Amino acid sequence: NAGVTQTPKFQVLKTGQSMTLQCAQDMNHEYMSWYRQDPGMGLRLIHYSVGAGITDQGEVPNGYNVSRSTTEDFPLRLLSAAPSQTSVYFCASSLPSGAGELFFGEGSRLTVL
Amino acid sequence: DQQVKQNSPSLSVQEGRISILNCDYTNSMFDYFLWYKKYPAEGPTFLISISSIKDKNEDGRFTVFLNKSAKHLSLHIVPSQPGDSAVYFCAASEGNKLTFGGGTRVLVKP
């Protein structure tokens, strides 16, 4: 009963490096999204996808890239990491007709030095 | 400009008493309002929701109230238990896109 799986759980990067946060779900959910959590700011939407081949920007998309080649996977790419991207990242999925009830992964803590 | 706000960053309550968490929003187009609970080092988990056409929804010890004219919702937890100690996020949805408040940390004292 895996649900939403995120890897890695922890990562330290240097400014300018690139990396990919992986997200996979086994619930056959069409909708997937990435959020970042920062103190006092709740969770902010970075990018989302309503199905394979379809992605769109959320509230804070700059510096991030996504693709959705399969229903199961929704990786988040940091193109050139900056200290402002130090955060905890959460991947979530849901059925497209859901009333916003998202299933979240355990999170990936990223530190950019 | 935050569309969803939780003005109390923390709340401390005695075990067995009521916990009341508040949330305000600005966007009249939100169609559902939700509460999520988050423990340290875990992802948020869905707790309870309410449609914008209703004013109350109850699930066991948890009740959510919606006041559309005031653009305000609240979560009542009765009775509070030590296991309820967590961060609670209010969220509002337009379809599957959620906008979250900043969270309220609840501590239930035995």
Side-chain angles (χ1 to χ4, degrees):
Chain A
N1 219 15
V4 178
T5 303
Q6 291 182 233
T7 55
K9 287 190 168 29
F10 300 95
Q11 183 72 48
V12 179
L13 289 178
K14 293 181 179 178
T15 297
Q17 287 184 317
S18 62
M19 77 156 299
T20 299
L21 298 176
Q22 302 290 346
C23 176
Q25 52 92 10
D26 61 0
M27 298 173 282
N28 203 31
H29 285 167
E30 292 291 328
Y31 181 86
M32 295 186 75
S33 54
W34 277 101
Y35 286 84
R36 59 178 287 174
Q37 183 194 2
D38 300 293
M41 304 191 73
L43 290 89
R44 291 181 293 168
L45 181 63
I46 305 171
H47 285 285
Y48 65 98
S49 169
V50 298
I54 306 169
T55 63
D56 206 345
Q57 296 181 352
E59 181 185 355
V60 288
N62 292 341
Y64 307 95
N65 201 0
V66 292
S67 59
R68 184 93 179 272
S69 56
T70 67
T71 299
E72 294 78 21
D73 300 297
F74 190 43
L76 178 72
R77 297 181 186 85
L78 280 72
L79 308 172
S80 177
S84 61
Q85 294 178 302
T86 293
S87 187
V88 181
Y89 292 85
F90 290 97
C91 178
S93 73
S94 74
L95 294 169
S97 59
E101 184 181 338
L102 301 181
F103 294 84
F104 284 88
E106 293 187 338
S108 298
R109 181 176 292 276
L110 175 67
T111 300
V112 182
L113 302 175
Chain B
D1 190 24
Q2 285 187 296
Q3 296 189 66
V4 178
K5 276 189 179 179
Q6 294 174 254
N7 290 318
S8 298
S10 64
L11 172 69
S12 181
V13 64
Q14 209 65 35
E15 181 180 4
R17 305 294 291 270
I18 185 171
S19 295
I20 300 176
L21 290 78
N22 294 302
C23 179
D24 298 299
Y25 64 96
T26 57
N27 186 348
S28 300
M29 301 304 293
F30 290 135
D31 45 18
Y32 277 87
F33 301 89
L34 306 93
W35 287 93
Y36 281 79
K37 178 179 181 179
K38 186 183 179 306
Y39 292 118
E42 294 184 9
T45 55
F46 170 75
L47 191 57
I48 191 170
S49 66
I50 186 168
S51 164
S52 60
I53 63 173
K54 298 198 172 182
D55 55 18
K56 179 182 175 181
N57 187 28
E58 193 171 351
D59 184 2
R61 296 186 296 114
F62 303 92
T63 303
V64 57
F65 297 92
L66 176 62
N67 182 335
K68 284 191 70 176
S69 60
K71 293 190 173 67
H72 177 84
L73 67 153
S74 61
L75 174 68
H76 292 206
I77 307 173
V78 182
S80 299
Q81 299 174 353
D84 296 331
S85 296
V87 177
Y88 290 79
F89 290 100
C90 160
S93 77
E94 288 180 271
N96 289 86
K97 289 175 62 177
L98 293 190
T99 301
F100 285 84
T104 297
R105 183 178 302 276
V106 173
L107 175 63
V108 180
K109 297 178 180 179

